[in-house]
Amino acid sequence: MLVTPPDGILLVDKPQGISSHRVVAIARRRLGLRKIGHAGTLDPMATGLLLLGAGPSTRLLTHLVGLGKTYTATVRLGVSTDSDDADGDPTAALGADAAAVTDSAIEAAVARQRGPIDQVPSTVSAIKVDGRRAYDLARKGEEVTLRARRVTIDRFDVLGRVDRVVSVDGADVAVVDLDVVVTCSSGTYVRALARDVGAALGTGAHLTALRRTLVGPFSVDDAVDLEDDDVDPDHALLRPADVARTLFPVVSLDGAQAKDLGDGKRIAVDHPDTDGPVAAIASGADRLVGLVAVRRGQLRVITNFPTAAGANA
């Protein structure tokens, strides 16, 4: 009996306290595959949606990495850390006096971070500097200077605030915790948003919680917990054709066209030219044959998707 190996996109709800690479390792074990990739990581402190690709669908990940993302988070005003989140060590505890840090002042600081902005990533990040990860340099005490890069913050709203007193290195510090929601372009550091809001208010700030709820059209509500032994990740895989038609326009191919496109031939179709990818789907088997460009009525392959064992066009 011919067995088709796992192939698809897996939505995973990453728990707190483990790395994204650990999630990939768990997925490899649970699916019995070595070929598994991801479309962007989350810090160990963060929870929420990771997109994993299994088998030939790892080729889809390149087209998922740039999708916009939505997060919920808690920003603590009054304390700064060396990583801009709760996993770091405190570097300053200036406090946030409730009377001085008004809702209107907070809104003004948050508003400055909306829209297209030039953001300097957090020092403790995976960005490479002269071939070395910034977090490795920072942890060795070396000076790290990262360039600002353009990101877009489509939404940055404060949902609520709590004024409290916390202990930092044995001293009581007044802080303001802000529950926020952020929708942003790929490459945005939400902890850098927290850092910059704290800088604008003169209080310092860091993230105490971060959860990714959306990546493009994909929701954490549909994700699985890979640490739950009752979950069958193979059955949770999203089919490549379903993922592709969610993201891209579709052109349907018959069996002969699907074979020719898979062999690298250009296929004539009645479809307008497009700037972005189009999903070429074999209508008979509802199989993703490739992501293509349409130029002058012909399909040109951007990324092809080989037929998994046992599949037919």
Side-chain angles (χ1 to χ4, degrees):
M1 178 179 178
L2 189 61
V3 178
T4 303
D7 177 23
I9 298 297
L10 185 63
L11 309 186
V12 177
D13 188 351
K14 187 189 89 67
Q16 188 173 24
I18 68 172
S19 69
S20 298
H21 296 294
R22 175 60 180 158
V23 174
V24 171
I26 294 171
R28 287 193 178 114
R29 174 176 57 81
R30 296 290 305 275
L31 289 168
L33 280 180
R34 289 186 59 82
K35 191 174 182 181
I36 291 182
H38 60 76
T41 62
L42 284 170
D43 294 331
M45 186 201 82
T47 68
L49 184 58
L50 287 176
L51 303 186
L52 305 186
S57 287
T58 55
R59 299 185 181 198
L60 265 174
L61 295 175
T62 299
H63 303 277
L64 302 180
V65 169
L67 295 174
K69 299 170 177 65
T70 296
Y71 300 85
T72 57
T74 301
V75 177
R76 174 160 291 174
L77 304 176
V79 179
S80 303
T81 71
D82 57 6
S83 63
D84 302 322
D85 65 18
D87 281 346
D89 296 323
T91 56
L94 301 176
D97 181 79
V101 183
T102 63
D103 290 345
S104 59
I106 291 170
E107 171 56 26
V110 168
R112 290 172 58 181
Q113 301 301 315
R114 296 191 187 115
I117 63 171
D118 292 319
Q119 182 185 74
V120 177
S122 296
T123 301
V124 181
S125 68
I127 294 174
K128 287 189 175 181
V129 179
D130 296 330
R132 301 168 66 189
R133 299 290 185 185
Y135 56 69
D136 286 333
L137 298 173
R139 287 165 183 164
K140 291 179 180 179
E142 297 183 36
E143 184 176 349
V144 179
T145 302
L146 299 178
R147 294 180 180 177
R149 54 188 184 178
R150 180 54 61 102
V151 297
T152 300
I153 312 303
D154 295 305
R155 182 184 181 191
F156 188 5
D157 292 332
V158 178
L159 304 179
R161 67 177 283 172
V162 176
D163 302 279
R164 54 164 49 101
V165 175
V166 300
S167 178
V168 179
D169 294 333
D172 289 342
V173 180
V175 299
V176 176
D177 285 348
L178 305 176
D179 291 328
V180 303
V181 59
V182 175
T183 298
C184 55
S185 62
S186 180
T188 300
Y189 282 83
V190 180
R191 50 198 167 107
L193 291 177
R195 175 201 66 202
D196 293 343
V197 167
L201 291 168
T203 62
H206 70 283
L207 286 185
T208 61
L210 179 66
R211 180 166 178 78
R212 188 154 69 197
T213 58
L214 291 170
V215 177
F218 305 106
S219 172
V220 73
D221 293 339
D222 300 317
V224 299
D225 178 1
L226 285 180
E227 294 187 319
D228 183 349
D229 291 335
D230 292 331
V231 170
D232 183 349
D234 199 355
H235 289 164
L237 285 169
L238 302 180
R239 298 175 59 252
D242 293 334
V243 172
R245 65 165 54 93
T246 298
L247 298 172
F248 309 111
V250 173
V251 59
S252 295
L253 307 179
D254 60 28
Q257 289 173 318
K259 182 179 184 307
D260 285 345
L261 188 67
D263 290 339
K265 297 179 181 179
R266 293 184 179 180
I267 307 299
V269 294
D270 182 14
H271 194 286
D273 286 5
T274 57
D275 293 328
V278 172
I281 295 177
S283 55
D286 195 29
R287 179 178 68 83
L288 178 63
V289 181
L291 295 179
V292 300
V294 184
R295 295 289 184 272
R296 299 176 182 175
Q298 288 192 325
L299 303 185
R300 302 180 184 183
V301 175
I302 299 172
T303 307
N304 63 5
F305 291 83
T307 304
N312 297 303

